[in-house]
Coordinates of all heavy atoms in Angstrom, one line a residue:
M88 N -28.4 -28.8 25.3 CA -27.7 -29.3 24.1 C -26.7 -30.4 24.5 O -26.0 -30.3 25.6 CB -26.9 -28.2 23.5 CG -26.3 -28.5 22.1 SD -25.3 -27.2 21.5 CE -26.5 -25.9 21.2
T89 N -26.7 -31.5 23.8 CA -25.8 -32.6 24.1 C -24.4 -32.2 23.7 O -24.1 -31.2 23.0 CB -26.1 -33.9 23.3 OG1 -25.9 -33.6 22.0 CG2 -27.6 -34.3 23.6
R90 N -23.4 -32.9 24.2 CA -22.0 -32.7 23.9 C -21.8 -32.8 22.4 O -21.1 -32.0 21.8 CB -21.1 -33.7 24.7 CG -20.1 -33.0 25.5 CD -19.4 -34.1 26.2 NE -18.2 -33.5 26.9 CZ -17.6 -34.2 27.9 NH1 -18.1 -35.3 28.3 NH2 -16.6 -33.6 28.5
A91 N -22.4 -33.9 21.8 CA -22.2 -34.2 20.4 C -22.7 -33.1 19.5 O -22.1 -32.6 18.6 CB -22.8 -35.5 20.0
A92 N -23.9 -32.6 20.0 CA -24.5 -31.5 19.2 C -23.7 -30.2 19.3 O -23.5 -29.5 18.3 CB -25.9 -31.2 19.7
A93 N -23.1 -29.9 20.4 CA -22.3 -28.8 20.6 C -21.0 -28.9 19.7 O -20.6 -27.9 19.1 CB -21.8 -28.6 22.1
A94 N -20.5 -30.1 19.6 CA -19.3 -30.3 18.8 C -19.6 -30.1 17.3 O -18.9 -29.5 16.6 CB -18.7 -31.7 19.0
A95 N -20.8 -30.6 16.9 CA -21.2 -30.5 15.5 C -21.4 -29.0 15.2 O -21.0 -28.5 14.1 CB -22.5 -31.3 15.3
L96 N -22.0 -28.2 16.1 CA -22.2 -26.8 15.9 C -20.9 -26.1 15.8 O -20.7 -25.3 14.9 CB -23.1 -26.3 17.0 CG -23.4 -24.8 16.9 CD1 -24.3 -24.5 15.7 CD2 -24.1 -24.3 18.2
A97 N -20.0 -26.4 16.6 CA -18.7 -25.8 16.6 C -18.0 -26.0 15.3 O -17.4 -25.2 14.6 CB -17.8 -26.2 17.7
A98 N -18.1 -27.3 14.8 CA -17.5 -27.7 13.5 C -18.1 -26.9 12.3 O -17.4 -26.4 11.4 CB -17.6 -29.1 13.3
A99 N -19.5 -26.7 12.4 CA -20.2 -26.0 11.3 C -19.7 -24.5 11.3 O -19.5 -23.9 10.3 CB -21.7 -26.1 11.5
V100 N -19.6 -23.9 12.5 CA -19.2 -22.5 12.6 C -17.8 -22.4 12.0 O -17.5 -21.5 11.3 CB -19.2 -22.0 14.0 CG1 -18.5 -20.7 14.2 CG2 -20.7 -21.9 14.5
G101 N -16.9 -23.4 12.3 CA -15.6 -23.3 11.8 C -15.5 -23.4 10.3 O -14.7 -22.7 9.6
V102 N -16.4 -24.2 9.6 CA -16.4 -24.3 8.2 C -16.9 -23.0 7.6 O -16.3 -22.5 6.6 CB -17.4 -25.5 7.8 CG1 -17.7 -25.4 6.3 CG2 -16.8 -26.8 8.1
L103 N -17.9 -22.4 8.2 CA -18.4 -21.1 7.7 C -17.3 -20.0 7.7 O -17.1 -19.3 6.8 CB -19.6 -20.6 8.4 CG -20.9 -21.4 8.2 CD1 -22.0 -20.9 9.1 CD2 -21.3 -21.3 6.7
A104 N -16.6 -20.0 8.8 CA -15.5 -19.0 9.0 C -14.4 -19.2 8.0 O -13.7 -18.2 7.7 CB -15.0 -19.0 10.5
G105 N -14.2 -20.4 7.6 CA -13.1 -20.7 6.6 C -13.5 -20.4 5.2 O -12.7 -20.7 4.3
C106 N -14.6 -19.8 4.9 CA -15.1 -19.6 3.5 C -14.5 -18.3 2.9 O -14.9 -18.0 1.8 CB -16.6 -19.6 3.4 SG -17.3 -21.3 3.4
G107 N -13.7 -17.6 3.6 CA -13.2 -16.3 3.1 C -12.1 -16.4 2.0 O -11.8 -15.4 1.3
G108 N -11.5 -17.6 1.8 CA -10.4 -17.7 0.8 C -10.9 -17.4 -0.6 O -12.1 -17.6 -0.9
G109 N -10.0 -16.9 -1.5 CA -10.4 -16.7 -2.9 C -10.8 -15.3 -3.2 O -10.8 -14.9 -4.3
T110 N -11.1 -14.5 -2.2 CA -11.5 -13.1 -2.5 C -10.2 -12.3 -2.7 O -9.2 -12.5 -1.9 CB -12.3 -12.5 -1.4 OG1 -11.7 -12.7 -0.1 CG2 -13.7 -13.0 -1.3
P111 N -10.1 -11.4 -3.6 CA -8.9 -10.6 -3.8 C -8.6 -9.7 -2.6 O -9.6 -9.3 -1.9 CB -9.2 -9.7 -5.1 CG -10.7 -9.7 -5.2 CD -11.2 -11.0 -4.5
P112 N -7.4 -9.4 -2.4 CA -7.0 -8.6 -1.2 C -7.6 -7.2 -1.3 O -7.6 -6.6 -2.4 CB -5.5 -8.6 -1.2 CG -5.1 -9.0 -2.5 CD -6.2 -9.8 -3.1
E113 N -8.1 -6.6 -0.2 CA -8.6 -5.2 -0.2 C -7.4 -4.3 -0.5 O -6.3 -4.5 0.0 CB -9.2 -4.9 1.1 CG -10.6 -5.6 1.3 CD -11.6 -4.8 0.4 OE1 -11.8 -3.6 0.6 OE2 -12.3 -5.6 -0.3
P114 N -7.6 -3.2 -1.2 CA -6.6 -2.2 -1.3 C -6.2 -1.6 0.0 O -7.1 -1.5 0.9 CB -7.2 -1.1 -2.2 CG -8.6 -1.4 -2.3 CD -8.9 -2.8 -1.9
V115 N -5.0 -1.3 0.2 CA -4.4 -0.8 1.5 C -4.5 0.7 1.5 O -4.2 1.4 0.5 CB -3.0 -1.3 1.7 CG1 -2.4 -0.8 3.0 CG2 -2.9 -2.8 1.6
A116 N -5.0 1.3 2.6 CA -5.1 2.7 2.7 C -3.7 3.3 3.1 O -3.3 3.4 4.2 CB -6.1 3.1 3.8
T117 N -3.0 3.7 2.0 CA -1.6 4.3 2.2 C -1.3 5.1 1.0 O -1.9 4.9 -0.1 CB -0.5 3.2 2.4 OG1 0.8 3.8 2.5 CG2 -0.5 2.2 1.2
S118 N -0.4 6.1 1.2 CA 0.0 6.8 0.0 C 1.4 6.5 -0.4 O 2.0 7.2 -1.3 CB -0.1 8.3 0.3 OG 0.8 8.7 1.4
R119 N 2.0 5.5 0.1 CA 3.4 5.1 -0.2 C 3.4 3.6 -0.7 O 2.9 2.7 -0.1 CB 4.2 5.2 1.1 CG 5.7 5.0 0.8 CD 6.6 5.3 2.0 NE 8.0 5.0 1.8 CZ 8.9 5.9 1.3 NH1 8.5 7.1 1.0 NH2 10.1 5.5 1.2
V120 N 4.1 3.5 -1.9 CA 4.2 2.2 -2.5 C 5.7 1.9 -2.6 O 6.5 2.7 -3.1 CB 3.6 2.2 -3.9 CG1 3.8 0.8 -4.6 CG2 2.1 2.5 -3.9
E121 N 6.1 0.8 -2.1 CA 7.5 0.3 -2.3 C 7.7 -0.5 -3.5 O 6.8 -1.4 -3.8 CB 7.9 -0.5 -1.0 CG 8.0 0.3 0.3 CD 9.1 1.3 0.3 OE1 10.1 1.1 -0.3 OE2 8.9 2.3 1.0
L122 N 8.7 -0.3 -4.2 CA 9.1 -1.2 -5.3 C 10.0 -2.2 -4.6 O 11.2 -2.0 -4.5 CB 9.8 -0.5 -6.5 CG 8.8 0.2 -7.4 CD1 8.2 1.5 -6.7 CD2 9.5 0.6 -8.7
A123 N 9.4 -3.3 -4.1 CA 10.1 -4.2 -3.3 C 10.9 -5.2 -4.1 O 10.7 -5.4 -5.3 CB 9.0 -5.0 -2.4
K124 N 11.8 -5.8 -3.4 CA 12.6 -6.8 -4.1 C 11.7 -8.0 -4.2 O 11.2 -8.5 -3.2 CB 13.9 -7.2 -3.2 CG 14.8 -6.0 -3.0 CD 15.9 -6.4 -2.1 CE 16.9 -5.3 -1.9 NZ 16.4 -4.2 -1.0
S125 N 11.4 -8.6 -5.4 CA 12.0 -8.2 -6.6 C 10.8 -8.1 -7.7 O 10.0 -9.0 -7.7 CB 12.9 -9.3 -7.0 OG 14.0 -9.3 -7.6
Y126 N 10.9 -7.0 -8.4 CA 9.9 -6.9 -9.6 C 8.5 -6.8 -9.1 O 7.6 -7.4 -9.7 CB 10.1 -8.0 -10.6 CG 11.5 -8.0 -11.2 CD1 12.4 -8.9 -10.8 CD2 11.8 -7.1 -12.2 CE1 13.7 -9.0 -11.4 CE2 13.1 -7.2 -12.8 CZ 14.0 -8.1 -12.4 OH 15.3 -8.2 -12.9
R127 N 8.2 -6.1 -8.1 CA 6.8 -6.0 -7.7 C 6.5 -4.7 -6.9 O 7.4 -4.1 -6.3 CB 6.3 -7.1 -6.8 CG 7.0 -7.3 -5.5 CD 6.7 -8.6 -4.9 NE 7.4 -8.7 -3.6 CZ 6.9 -8.2 -2.4 NH1 5.7 -7.7 -2.4 NH2 7.6 -8.3 -1.3
F128 N 5.3 -4.2 -7.0 CA 4.8 -3.0 -6.3 C 4.2 -3.6 -5.0 O 3.4 -4.5 -5.0 CB 3.8 -2.2 -7.1 CG 4.4 -1.6 -8.3 CD1 4.1 -2.1 -9.6 CD2 5.2 -0.5 -8.2 CE1 4.6 -1.5 -10.7 CE2 5.7 0.1 -9.3 CZ 5.4 -0.4 -10.6
S129 N 4.5 -2.9 -3.9 CA 4.0 -3.4 -2.6 C 3.5 -2.2 -1.7 O 4.3 -1.4 -1.4 CB 5.1 -4.2 -1.8 OG 4.6 -4.6 -0.6
P130 N 2.2 -2.2 -1.4 CA 1.2 -3.1 -1.8 C 0.8 -2.8 -3.3 O 0.9 -1.7 -3.7 CB 0.0 -2.9 -0.9 CG 0.2 -1.5 -0.4 CD 1.7 -1.2 -0.4
E131 N 0.2 -3.8 -4.0 CA -0.2 -3.6 -5.4 C -1.4 -2.7 -5.5 O -1.5 -2.0 -6.5 CB -0.5 -5.0 -6.0 CG 0.7 -5.7 -6.6 CD 0.3 -7.0 -7.3 OE1 -0.8 -7.1 -7.7 OE2 1.2 -7.8 -7.4
G132 N -2.3 -2.8 -4.5 CA -3.5 -2.0 -4.6 C -3.6 -1.1 -3.4 O -3.5 -1.5 -2.3
I133 N -3.7 0.2 -3.7 CA -3.8 1.2 -2.5 C -5.1 2.0 -2.7 O -5.6 2.2 -3.9 CB -2.6 2.1 -2.4 CG1 -2.4 3.0 -3.6 CG2 -1.4 1.2 -2.1 CD1 -1.4 4.1 -3.3
T134 N -5.5 2.7 -1.7 CA -6.6 3.6 -1.7 C -6.2 4.9 -1.0 O -5.6 4.8 0.1 CB -7.9 3.0 -1.2 OG1 -8.9 4.0 -1.2 CG2 -7.7 2.5 0.2
V135 N -6.5 6.0 -1.6 CA -6.1 7.3 -1.1 C -7.3 8.3 -1.2 O -8.2 8.0 -2.0 CB -4.9 8.0 -1.7 CG1 -3.7 7.1 -1.5 CG2 -5.1 8.2 -3.2
A136 N -7.3 9.4 -0.5 CA -8.3 10.4 -0.6 C -7.9 11.3 -1.8 O -6.7 11.5 -2.1 CB -8.5 11.2 0.6
A137 N -8.9 11.9 -2.5 CA -8.7 12.8 -3.6 C -7.8 14.0 -3.1 O -8.0 14.4 -2.0 CB -10.0 13.3 -4.2
G138 N -6.8 14.3 -3.9 CA -5.9 15.4 -3.5 C -4.6 14.9 -2.9 O -3.7 15.7 -2.6
T139 N -4.5 13.6 -2.8 CA -3.3 13.0 -2.1 C -2.2 12.8 -3.2 O -2.4 12.5 -4.3 CB -3.6 11.6 -1.5 OG1 -4.7 11.8 -0.5 CG2 -2.4 11.0 -0.8
A140 N -0.9 13.0 -2.7 CA 0.2 12.7 -3.5 C 0.7 11.3 -3.1 O 0.9 11.0 -2.0 CB 1.3 13.7 -3.3
V141 N 0.8 10.4 -4.1 CA 1.2 9.1 -3.9 C 2.7 9.0 -4.2 O 3.2 9.6 -5.2 CB 0.5 8.0 -4.8 CG1 1.1 6.6 -4.7 CG2 -1.0 8.0 -4.4
T142 N 3.5 8.4 -3.4 CA 5.0 8.3 -3.6 C 5.4 6.9 -3.8 O 5.0 6.0 -3.0 CB 5.7 8.9 -2.3 OG1 5.3 10.2 -2.2 CG2 7.2 8.8 -2.5
W143 N 6.1 6.7 -4.8 CA 6.7 5.3 -5.1 C 8.2 5.4 -4.7 O 8.9 6.4 -5.1 CB 6.6 5.0 -6.6 CG 5.2 4.6 -7.0 CD1 4.7 3.3 -7.1 CD2 4.2 5.4 -7.5 NE1 3.4 3.3 -7.6 CE2 3.1 4.6 -7.8 CE3 4.0 6.8 -7.7 CZ2 1.9 5.1 -8.3 CZ3 2.8 7.3 -8.1 CH2 1.8 6.5 -8.4
H144 N 8.7 4.4 -4.0 CA 10.1 4.4 -3.7 C 10.7 3.0 -4.2 O 10.1 2.0 -3.9 CB 10.2 4.4 -2.1 CG 11.6 4.2 -1.6 ND1 11.9 3.1 -0.9 CD2 12.7 4.9 -1.9 CE1 13.2 3.2 -0.6 NE2 13.8 4.2 -1.2
N145 N 11.8 3.2 -4.9 CA 12.4 2.0 -5.5 C 13.4 1.4 -4.5 O 14.5 1.8 -4.4 CB 13.1 2.3 -6.8 CG 13.6 1.0 -7.5 OD1 13.4 -0.1 -7.0 ND2 14.1 1.2 -8.7
D146 N 12.9 0.3 -3.9 CA 13.8 -0.4 -2.9 C 14.4 -1.6 -3.5 O 15.0 -2.5 -2.8 CB 12.9 -0.8 -1.7 CG 13.7 -1.3 -0.5 OD1 14.8 -0.7 -0.3 OD2 13.3 -2.2 0.2
D147 N 14.2 -1.8 -4.8 CA 14.7 -3.0 -5.5 C 16.2 -2.7 -6.0 O 16.7 -1.6 -5.9 CB 13.8 -3.3 -6.7 CG 14.0 -4.8 -7.2 OD1 14.8 -5.5 -6.6 OD2 13.2 -5.2 -8.1
N148 N 16.8 -3.7 -6.5 CA 18.2 -3.5 -7.0 C 18.2 -3.2 -8.5 O 19.3 -3.1 -9.1 CB 19.0 -4.8 -6.8 CG 19.0 -5.2 -5.3 OD1 19.2 -4.3 -4.4 ND2 18.9 -6.5 -5.0
F149 N 17.1 -3.0 -9.1 CA 17.0 -2.8 -10.5 C 16.2 -1.5 -10.8 O 15.4 -1.0 -10.0 CB 16.3 -3.9 -11.2 CG 16.8 -5.2 -10.9 CD1 16.2 -6.0 -9.9 CD2 18.0 -5.7 -11.5 CE1 16.8 -7.3 -9.5 CE2 18.5 -6.9 -11.1 CZ 17.9 -7.7 -10.1
T150 N 16.4 -0.9 -12.0 CA 15.7 0.3 -12.4 C 14.3 -0.1 -12.8 O 14.1 -1.1 -13.5 CB 16.4 1.0 -13.5 OG1 17.6 1.5 -13.0 CG2 15.6 2.2 -14.1
H151 N 13.3 0.6 -12.4 CA 11.9 0.4 -12.8 C 11.3 1.7 -13.3 O 11.9 2.7 -13.2 CB 11.1 -0.2 -11.7 CG 11.5 -1.5 -11.2 ND1 11.4 -2.7 -11.9 CD2 12.2 -1.9 -10.0 CE1 11.9 -3.7 -11.2 NE2 12.4 -3.2 -10.1
T152 N 10.1 1.6 -13.8 CA 9.4 2.8 -14.2 C 8.0 2.8 -13.6 O 7.5 1.7 -13.2 CB 9.2 3.0 -15.7 OG1 8.3 2.0 -16.2 CG2 10.6 2.9 -16.4
V153 N 7.4 3.9 -13.5 CA 6.0 4.0 -13.1 C 5.3 4.8 -14.2 O 5.6 5.9 -14.6 CB 5.8 4.8 -11.8 CG1 4.3 5.0 -11.5 CG2 6.4 4.0 -10.7
Q154 N 4.2 4.2 -14.8 CA 3.4 4.9 -15.9 C 2.0 4.7 -15.5 O 1.5 3.6 -15.5 CB 3.7 4.3 -17.3 CG 3.0 5.0 -18.4 CD 3.0 4.2 -19.7 OE1 2.6 3.1 -19.7 NE2 3.5 4.9 -20.7
V155 N 1.3 5.8 -15.2 CA -0.1 5.8 -14.7 C -1.0 6.0 -15.9 O -0.9 7.0 -16.6 CB -0.3 6.8 -13.6 CG1 -1.8 6.8 -13.2 CG2 0.6 6.6 -12.5
D156 N -1.9 5.1 -16.1 CA -2.9 5.2 -17.2 C -2.3 5.6 -18.6 O -2.9 6.4 -19.3 CB -4.0 6.2 -16.8 CG -5.2 5.5 -16.1 OD1 -5.2 4.3 -16.0 OD2 -6.0 6.2 -15.6
G157 N -1.2 5.0 -18.9 CA -0.6 5.3 -20.3 C 0.0 6.7 -20.4 O 0.3 7.1 -21.5
G158 N 0.1 7.4 -19.3 CA 0.7 8.7 -19.3 C 2.2 8.7 -19.3 O 2.9 7.8 -19.8
E159 N 2.7 9.8 -18.8 CA 4.2 10.0 -18.7 C 4.9 8.8 -18.0 O 4.4 8.3 -17.0 CB 4.4 11.3 -17.9 CG 5.9 11.7 -17.7 CD 6.0 12.8 -16.6 OE1 5.0 13.1 -15.9 OE2 7.1 13.3 -16.6
T160 N 6.0 8.4 -18.5 CA 6.8 7.3 -17.9 C 7.9 7.9 -17.1 O 8.7 8.7 -17.5 CB 7.4 6.4 -19.0 OG1 6.3 5.9 -19.7 CG2 8.2 5.3 -18.3
R161 N 7.9 7.6 -15.7 CA 9.0 8.1 -14.9 C 9.9 6.9 -14.5 O 9.4 5.9 -14.1 CB 8.4 8.6 -13.6 CG 7.6 9.9 -13.8 CD 8.5 11.0 -14.3 NE 9.4 11.4 -13.3 CZ 9.3 12.5 -12.5 NH1 8.2 13.3 -12.7 NH2 10.2 12.8 -11.6
K162 N 11.2 7.1 -14.8 CA 12.2 6.1 -14.5 C 12.7 6.2 -13.0 O 13.0 7.4 -12.6 CB 13.3 6.2 -15.5 CG 14.3 5.1 -15.4 CD 15.4 5.3 -16.5 CE 15.0 4.6 -17.8 NZ 16.2 4.6 -18.7
L163 N 12.7 5.1 -12.3 CA 13.2 5.2 -10.9 C 14.4 4.2 -10.8 O 14.3 3.0 -10.9 CB 12.1 4.7 -10.0 CG 11.1 5.7 -9.5 CD1 10.0 5.9 -10.6 CD2 10.5 5.3 -8.2
A164 N 15.6 4.8 -10.7 CA 16.8 4.0 -10.3 C 16.7 3.5 -8.9 O 15.8 4.0 -8.1 CB 18.0 4.9 -10.5
P165 N 17.4 2.5 -8.5 CA 17.4 2.0 -7.1 C 17.6 3.2 -6.2 O 18.5 4.0 -6.3 CB 18.5 1.0 -7.0 CG 18.6 0.5 -8.4 CD 18.3 1.6 -9.3
G166 N 16.7 3.3 -5.2 CA 16.7 4.4 -4.2 C 15.9 5.6 -4.6 O 15.7 6.5 -3.7
D167 N 15.5 5.7 -5.8 CA 14.7 6.9 -6.3 C 13.3 6.9 -5.7 O 12.8 5.9 -5.5 CB 14.7 7.0 -7.8 CG 16.0 7.6 -8.4 OD1 16.9 8.0 -7.6 OD2 16.1 7.6 -9.6
T168 N 12.7 8.1 -5.6 CA 11.3 8.2 -5.4 C 10.6 9.1 -6.4 O 11.3 9.9 -7.1 CB 11.0 8.9 -4.0 OG1 11.6 10.2 -4.0 CG2 11.6 8.1 -2.8
Y169 N 9.3 8.9 -6.6 CA 8.5 9.6 -7.5 C 7.2 9.9 -6.9 O 6.6 8.9 -6.3 CB 8.4 8.8 -8.8 CG 7.2 9.3 -9.7 CD1 7.1 10.7 -10.1 CD2 6.3 8.4 -10.2 CE1 6.1 11.1 -10.9 CE2 5.2 8.8 -11.0 CZ 5.2 10.2 -11.4 OH 4.1 10.6 -12.2
S170 N 6.7 11.1 -6.9 CA 5.4 11.4 -6.3 C 4.5 12.0 -7.4 O 4.9 12.7 -8.2 CB 5.5 12.5 -5.2 OG 6.2 11.9 -4.1
R171 N 3.3 11.5 -7.3 CA 2.2 12.0 -8.3 C 1.0 12.3 -7.5 O 0.5 11.6 -6.7 CB 2.0 10.9 -9.3 CG 1.0 11.4 -10.4 CD 0.6 10.1 -11.3 NE -0.1 10.5 -12.5 CZ -1.4 10.7 -12.6 NH1 -2.1 10.7 -11.5 NH2 -2.0 11.0 -13.7
H172 N 0.4 13.5 -7.9 CA -0.8 14.0 -7.2 C -2.0 13.3 -7.9 O -2.1 13.3 -9.1 CB -0.8 15.5 -7.5 CG -1.3 16.2 -6.3 ND1 -2.4 17.0 -6.2 CD2 -0.7 16.4 -5.0 CE1 -2.5 17.5 -5.0 NE2 -1.5 17.2 -4.3
F173 N -3.0 12.9 -7.1 CA -4.2 12.3 -7.6 C -5.3 13.3 -7.2 O -5.8 13.1 -6.0 CB -4.4 10.9 -7.1 CG -3.5 9.9 -7.8 CD1 -2.2 9.7 -7.3 CD2 -4.0 9.2 -8.9 CE1 -1.4 8.8 -8.0 CE2 -3.1 8.3 -9.6 CZ -1.8 8.1 -9.1
A174 N -5.8 14.1 -8.1 CA -6.8 15.1 -7.8 C -8.2 14.6 -8.0 O -9.2 14.9 -7.3 CB -6.6 16.4 -8.6
Q175 N -8.3 13.7 -9.0 CA -9.6 13.2 -9.4 C -9.9 11.8 -8.8 O -9.0 11.0 -8.6 CB -9.7 13.0 -10.9 CG -9.4 14.2 -11.7 CD -10.4 15.3 -11.6 OE1 -11.6 15.0 -11.4 NE2 -10.0 16.6 -11.6
R176 N -11.2 11.6 -8.4 CA -11.6 10.3 -8.0 C -11.6 9.3 -9.1 O -11.8 9.7 -10.3 CB -13.0 10.4 -7.3 CG -13.0 11.1 -6.1 CD -14.4 11.2 -5.5 NE -14.3 12.2 -4.4 CZ -15.3 12.2 -3.5 NH1 -16.3 11.5 -3.5 NH2 -15.2 13.1 -2.5
G177 N -11.4 8.1 -8.8 CA -11.4 7.0 -9.8 C -10.4 5.9 -9.5 O -9.8 5.9 -8.5
T178 N -10.3 5.0 -10.5 CA -9.4 3.9 -10.4 C -8.3 4.1 -11.4 O -8.6 4.2 -12.6 CB -10.1 2.6 -10.5 OG1 -11.1 2.5 -9.5 CG2 -9.2 1.4 -10.3
F179 N -7.1 4.1 -11.0 CA -6.0 4.3 -11.9 C -5.0 3.1 -11.9 O -4.5 2.8 -10.8 CB -5.2 5.6 -11.5 CG -6.1 6.8 -11.4 CD1 -6.8 7.2 -10.3 CD2 -6.2 7.6 -12.6 CE1 -7.6 8.3 -10.3 CE2 -7.0 8.7 -12.6 CZ -7.7 9.1 -11.4
D180 N -4.9 2.5 -13.1 CA -4.0 1.4 -13.2 C -2.6 1.9 -13.6 O -2.5 2.9 -14.3 CB -4.4 0.4 -14.3 CG -5.7 -0.3 -13.8 OD1 -5.7 -0.9 -12.7 OD2 -6.7 -0.3 -14.6
Y181 N -1.6 1.3 -13.0 CA -0.2 1.8 -13.5 C 0.7 0.5 -13.7 O 0.3 -0.6 -13.2 CB 0.4 2.7 -12.5 CG 0.7 2.2 -11.1 CD1 1.9 1.5 -10.8 CD2 -0.2 2.3 -10.1 CE1 2.2 1.0 -9.6 CE2 0.0 1.8 -8.8 CZ 1.2 1.1 -8.6 OH 1.5 0.6 -7.3
V182 N 1.7 0.7 -14.5 CA 2.6 -0.4 -14.8 C 4.0 0.1 -14.7 O 4.4 1.3 -14.7 CB 2.3 -0.9 -16.3 CG1 0.9 -1.4 -16.4 CG2 2.6 0.2 -17.3
C183 N 4.9 -0.9 -14.6 CA 6.3 -0.7 -14.9 C 6.5 -1.1 -16.4 O 6.2 -2.2 -16.8 CB 7.2 -1.5 -14.0 SG 9.0 -1.6 -14.6
T184 N 6.9 -0.1 -17.2 CA 7.0 -0.4 -18.7 C 8.1 -1.3 -19.0 O 8.2 -1.8 -20.1 CB 7.1 0.9 -19.5 OG1 8.3 1.6 -19.0 CG2 5.9 1.8 -19.3
L185 N 9.0 -1.6 -18.1 CA 10.2 -2.4 -18.4 C 9.9 -3.9 -18.1 O 10.6 -4.7 -18.7 CB 11.4 -2.0 -17.6 CG 11.8 -0.5 -17.7 CD1 13.0 -0.2 -16.7 CD2 12.3 -0.2 -19.2
H186 N 8.9 -4.2 -17.3 CA 8.7 -5.5 -16.8 C 7.3 -5.9 -16.9 O 6.5 -5.6 -16.0 CB 9.2 -5.7 -15.4 CG 10.7 -5.3 -15.2 ND1 11.0 -4.2 -14.4 CD2 11.8 -5.8 -15.8 CE1 12.4 -4.1 -14.5 NE2 12.8 -5.0 -15.3
P187 N 6.9 -6.6 -18.0 CA 5.5 -7.0 -18.1 C 5.0 -7.8 -16.9 O 5.8 -8.7 -16.4 CB 5.5 -7.9 -19.4 CG 6.7 -7.5 -20.2 CD 7.7 -7.0 -19.1
G188 N 3.8 -7.5 -16.5 CA 3.3 -8.2 -15.3 C 3.5 -7.5 -14.0 O 3.0 -7.8 -13.0
M189 N 4.4 -6.4 -14.1 CA 4.6 -5.6 -12.9 C 3.7 -4.5 -12.9 O 3.9 -3.5 -13.7 CB 6.1 -5.2 -12.9 CG 6.6 -4.5 -11.6 SD 8.3 -4.1 -11.7 CE 8.4 -3.0 -10.3
N190 N 2.6 -4.5 -12.1 CA 1.6 -3.5 -12.2 C 0.9 -3.3 -10.8 O 1.1 -4.1 -9.9 CB 0.6 -3.8 -13.3 CG 0.1 -5.2 -13.2 OD1 -0.4 -5.6 -12.1 ND2 0.1 -6.0 -14.2
G191 N 0.2 -2.2 -10.8 CA -0.6 -1.9 -9.5 C -1.7 -1.0 -9.8 O -2.0 -0.7 -11.0
Q192 N -2.4 -0.6 -8.8 CA -3.7 0.2 -8.9 C -3.8 1.1 -7.8 O -3.6 0.8 -6.6 CB -4.8 -0.8 -9.0 CG -6.1 -0.1 -9.4 CD -7.2 -1.2 -9.6 OE1 -7.7 -1.8 -8.6 NE2 -7.7 -1.4 -10.8
V193 N -4.2 2.4 -8.1 CA -4.5 3.4 -7.1 C -6.0 3.7 -7.2 O -6.5 4.1 -8.3 CB -3.7 4.7 -7.4 CG1 -4.1 5.7 -6.3 CG2 -2.2 4.4 -7.3
T194 N -6.7 3.6 -6.1 CA -8.1 3.9 -6.1 C -8.2 5.2 -5.3 O -7.8 5.3 -4.1 CB -9.0 2.8 -5.4 OG1 -8.8 1.6 -6.1 CG2 -10.4 3.2 -5.4
V195 N -8.8 6.3 -5.9 CA -8.9 7.6 -5.3 C -10.4 7.8 -4.9 O -11.2 7.7 -5.8 CB -8.4 8.7 -6.3 CG1 -8.5 10.0 -5.6 CG2 -7.0 8.4 -6.8
R196 N -10.6 8.0 -3.6 CA -12.0 8.2 -3.1 C -12.3 9.6 -2.8 O -11.4 10.4 -2.4 CB -12.2 7.2 -1.9 CG -12.0 5.8 -2.3 CD -12.1 4.9 -1.0 NE -11.5 3.6 -1.3 CZ -12.3 2.6 -1.4 NH1 -13.6 2.6 -1.4 NH2 -11.7 1.4 -1.7
Ligands
CU141 CU1 10.1 -2.9 -13.3

């Protein structure tokens, strides 16, 4: 292989490797969600095994809520935690009812 051909091949491989942008982030395997500063759940998407209790911890300077699938609304003052058991498999969306756009998702496998 000539030097020029090797350089062209390396460039082509670089282009292919760079094609990953634009895909949504994979859910993170953790049972703990921080309500990070400011107005967001971190990480937004998590995955847990069935039977796991997920804990939310409010690390923000403001009161937030956690409402899973339109159910009970739990208020979290700064520093508070809330744990909820996920027995069934599925995908559960949750929101902070006080702040539109502040939401996350739990995938139970
Ligand atoms: Cu909020």
Side-chain angles (χ1 to χ4, degrees):
M88 190 185 293
T89 66
R90 232 178 176 161
L96 181 64
V100 168
V102 167
L103 288 175
C106 278
T110 49
E113 283 289 304
V115 178
T117 179
S118 61
R119 188 172 173 92
V120 178
E121 294 293 331
L122 282 71
K124 301 177 179 71
S125 209
Y126 300 100
R127 62 191 180 89
F128 294 105
S129 179
E131 273 186 22
I133 65 168
T134 175
V135 297
T139 301
V141 174
T142 300
W143 286 265
H144 172 244
N145 187 357
D146 192 37
D147 202 355
N148 300 319
F149 309 98
T150 294
H151 296 288
T152 68
V153 174
Q154 184 192 57
V155 180
D156 267 354
E159 179 192 14
T160 300
R161 293 295 294 259
K162 191 179 266 189
L163 277 82
D167 281 356
T168 58
Y169 163 53
S170 293
R171 184 188 190 279
H172 222 244
F173 286 85
Q175 305 291 327
R176 290 179 190 196
T178 301
F179 302 86
D180 292 309
Y181 65 88
V182 298
C183 168
T184 58
L185 303 176
H186 305 116
M189 189 176 166
N190 50 52
Q192 192 175 66
V193 179
T194 301
V195 183
R196 296 172 198 259

